[in-house]
Every structure is written in structure tokens, then in C-alpha cells.
Amino acid sequence: MDRPKSRLIWLRNPNVVRLLRGLATGTVPLTHDGLDQETPWRTVVHLRDLLMDSGVLPRVDRQLMLYQRWLTERLATIEDREHRRHLQHFAIWHQMRRLRSKAEKGSLGRSQTSQTKQEITQAGAFLTWLADRGRTIEHCQQADLDAWHTEKLATRRPAQTFLRWCMKTSRMPRLTLPPQVINQDQAPLHQHR
């Protein structure tokens, strides 16, 4: 066992004691779903890692689990029911399918789930921005998309995944998104430059 002293200190943590007692008595089910209901999340994640490493729980992708937890908490903060519904459908039917597919091929990295979080965050910002203009996603117009992207293109670009999905699934009219502009020198860079 590496760093046994730190493990002993961790075992004295009241949250760890409560979780282990709950698992031992059966009040906390020894399943991924059972652990999903527990807090604090960092303690639960570490305990889950230990349980997966020892073969007690089946292995699942850590980044995917953390994203699911983040998504649940993020969706709970959205007051507008329609916005929450659109984002939840996008997350379930587009993002989670894509992440699960990637996780089957190998462990997800933080950058993959960070990008997915940005997509949700910017999609939510777009829906709020659109509502402030007196429109819903179903009645979005080209002028709305152009105005949205004109203000802060780099920051708002992650919303395009959501917008493409909305167009593909007929949740909004088919409109034109601005192309990604890549500034690149035509000539190769010489050693002197």
C-alpha cells in the first residue's frame, strides 16, 4: 500500500466513516447508483475508485461519472422548464451517447468532458439570451444567430454543437452558423522567421 499514513488519516474523516458504515449496514447500496446519491462528491469519488480498483464494483469511466454528476447539478439550477428540457434532451441524446461511445474505446480525458460542459453552459446562455430578445428556440431567426455570434464569437462557439443538434432534430429552423475561421499563413514558416 502506497502512503499508508495518508490512508489512515483519510479513514478518520467523518464522511468516510459515515459512508463505510452505510455500506457495511446496507443503508447505502453497494452500487454505482447507490453511491451517486451520497455526498460529499470528492469523498464518494475516491471511495468509488478504491472499490473499482479492488474489484468490488464494476469499472466505469470516472470522467463520465463526474460529468453526469455535474450535469444533474447544473440542470437543477435552470429555472425555465423549457430551457432545462431542451438542455436535458441535448445532454442525454447527443452528449451522453457521444461520451459513452468514446469511453468504450478508452478512458475519457478531462478535456473531453470540459468541452461538453462548455457546450451545455453556452447552450443555456444562448437560450437565456434568446428569451431576453423575446424569442424561443422554435422561433429563432438568422438575425438572432448572427447577433449572438457577433458579440463574443470565441466564447460562444461551443453553443454551435447544441444549435446544430436543434436544427437536426427540428427543434429550431435550419439557419446558417458562422464558419470557423482559421488564420493561417499560406507559406510555410522558415527557420529565420
Side-chain angles (χ1 to χ4, degrees):
M1 175 188 287
D2 61 323
R3 299 179 7 223
K5 187 174 181 180
S6 65
R7 297 286 170 106
L8 290 172
I9 292 169
W10 182 76
L11 285 170
R12 289 188 209 134
N13 179 318
N15 290 316
V16 175
V17 171
R18 180 186 53 79
L19 278 171
L20 291 174
R21 185 175 290 127
L23 290 169
T25 61
T27 57
V28 174
L30 186 55
T31 63
H32 287 293
D33 289 337
L35 289 173
D36 284 343
Q37 308 306 314
E38 297 301 316
T39 58
W41 71 270
R42 288 182 198 273
T43 304
V44 173
V45 166
H46 185 67
L47 179 59
R48 186 190 318 255
D49 285 345
L50 292 173
L51 292 170
M52 288 189 299
D53 288 345
S54 63
V56 174
L57 284 177
R59 185 149 302 280
V60 293
D61 191 279
R62 184 178 204 226
Q63 292 300 320
L64 185 61
M65 284 189 311
L66 291 173
Y67 173 72
Q68 288 173 309
R69 181 175 205 101
W70 176 87
L71 180 65
T72 301
E73 292 170 358
R74 176 76 173 101
L75 291 174
T77 66
I78 299 171
E79 294 177 14
D80 186 292
R81 278 187 45 215
E82 282 302 302
H83 293 183
R84 186 173 48 249
R85 186 177 62 82
H86 284 305
L87 293 173
Q88 186 173 26
H89 288 179
F90 170 65
I92 291 169
W93 297 111
H94 180 74
Q95 289 183 321
M96 292 303 295
R97 286 176 58 198
R98 185 181 66 201
L99 289 174
R100 283 188 182 114
S101 175
K102 287 180 180 181
E104 287 175 6
K105 296 173 186 162
S107 296
L108 294 175
R110 281 189 179 154
S111 63
Q112 291 167 311
T113 53
S114 292
Q115 174 64 29
T116 307
K117 289 176 184 179
Q118 276 296 334
E119 290 173 0
I120 286 287
T121 300
Q122 288 303 312
F126 175 75
L127 292 172
T128 301
W129 179 87
L130 197 60
D132 291 345
R133 290 175 65 107
R135 294 203 198 284
T136 62
I137 192 81
E138 295 84 5
H139 299 101
C140 183
Q141 297 178 355
Q142 187 65 50
D144 298 318
L145 279 185
D146 293 343
W148 164 260
H149 285 94
T150 300
E151 292 177 18
K152 300 172 188 167
L153 179 61
T155 306
R156 293 180 169 180
R157 184 166 296 285
Q160 288 188 1
T161 307
F162 172 73
L163 296 170
R164 281 188 194 91
W165 178 80
C166 285
M167 288 183 234
K168 183 179 176 182
T169 58
S170 301
R171 286 174 166 79
M172 71 180 284
R174 290 215 175 257
L175 304 170
T176 303
L177 295 170
Q180 183 171 359
V181 178
I182 300 172
N183 293 331
Q184 192 173 19
D185 288 341
Q186 297 300 323
L189 187 63
H190 296 284
Q191 186 174 359
H192 297 297
R193 285 182 61 196

